[in-house]
Amino acid sequence: MKSALTLSEFARIIRTNKRRLKKLNSDYEYARYLFYALPGIDYEKPRIQSSPVYDKITIDLDRLDRIEKKIAYYEWMDNLWLLWQKSMTPRETDVFHRFYMQDKKVSDVASELLVTHTFVSLYIKNLEKKWALFYESHNKDEKR
């Protein structure tokens, strides 16, 4: 069973998600090309009968399947990100973006928002609790 995704791990995934999805889609297109491409004849190599150990179609299908699963996971993360943004209050959004997305310290967030360190720490603690409930409820939906 997968362990629960923490809020900081989620933010790290979301920060690089668009770039990652672009690369995965590019990898998928190349893997599809390899699947349909016919290898040319290499006259320098001796002719070898195909063996069950090296079956090009199975290897290519496995590669395509792995990439499709990764793409589906990161697209699900994008949808989760949209839902998570809707669930936060404006103040929570400010704290979340500064602390998790911009990777700032509590003291920097407090000085930017003109509040105390304790206030920011409480918001971070509340965000983590809210995230645990949010992720648990949406992860159950994904498993169904």
Side-chain angles (χ1 to χ4, degrees):
M1 183 175 177
K2 274 182 147 176
S3 63
L5 188 69
T6 65
L7 191 54
S8 58
E9 291 170 340
F10 176 69
R12 196 173 330 116
I13 288 171
I14 291 303
R15 281 193 303 241
T16 59
N17 207 23
K18 287 183 182 176
R19 197 174 36 224
R20 183 180 291 120
L21 274 172
K22 186 177 178 181
K23 174 146 180 21
L24 282 171
N25 283 320
S26 172
D27 290 348
Y28 183 74
E29 290 302 317
Y30 182 68
R32 284 184 55 85
Y33 164 77
L34 289 177
F35 181 72
Y36 290 110
L38 295 174
I41 298 172
D42 189 359
Y43 292 106
E44 294 179 9
K45 293 183 180 176
R47 181 133 173 104
I48 301 172
Q49 295 291 332
S50 79
S51 67
V53 175
Y54 180 76
D55 184 14
K56 182 182 179 328
I57 293 175
T58 306
I59 292 170
D60 288 343
L61 284 173
D62 286 344
R63 180 183 304 132
L64 285 169
D65 188 48
R66 261 193 333 270
I67 294 172
E68 285 174 350
K69 286 179 182 175
K70 285 181 183 179
I71 289 172
Y73 176 75
Y74 290 115
E75 285 176 345
W76 177 68
M77 281 291 165
D78 267 351
N79 291 335
L80 200 62
W81 169 238
L82 295 174
L83 294 171
W84 174 243
Q85 285 180 311
K86 290 177 184 176
S87 73
M88 290 187 290
T89 65
R91 182 58 81 159
E92 287 174 338
T93 303
D94 287 343
V95 172
F96 178 81
H97 279 284
R98 285 179 171 86
F99 185 74
Y100 289 104
M101 300 301 279
Q102 296 174 0
D103 212 18
K104 293 184 178 180
K105 297 177 185 174
V106 172
S107 58
D108 295 336
V109 175
S111 64
E112 286 180 14
L113 297 177
L114 303 173
V115 295
T116 63
H117 298 258
T118 308
F119 183 80
V120 174
S121 297
L122 285 173
Y123 262 101
I124 290 169
K125 192 178 289 187
N126 288 337
L127 276 170
E128 288 174 355
K129 288 178 186 175
K130 189 174 187 177
W131 168 255
L133 296 172
F134 175 84
Y135 184 73
E136 183 181 322
S137 68
H138 286 82
N139 202 23
K140 284 180 186 175
D141 292 344
E142 180 66 22
K143 289 179 182 175
R144 288 182 194 166

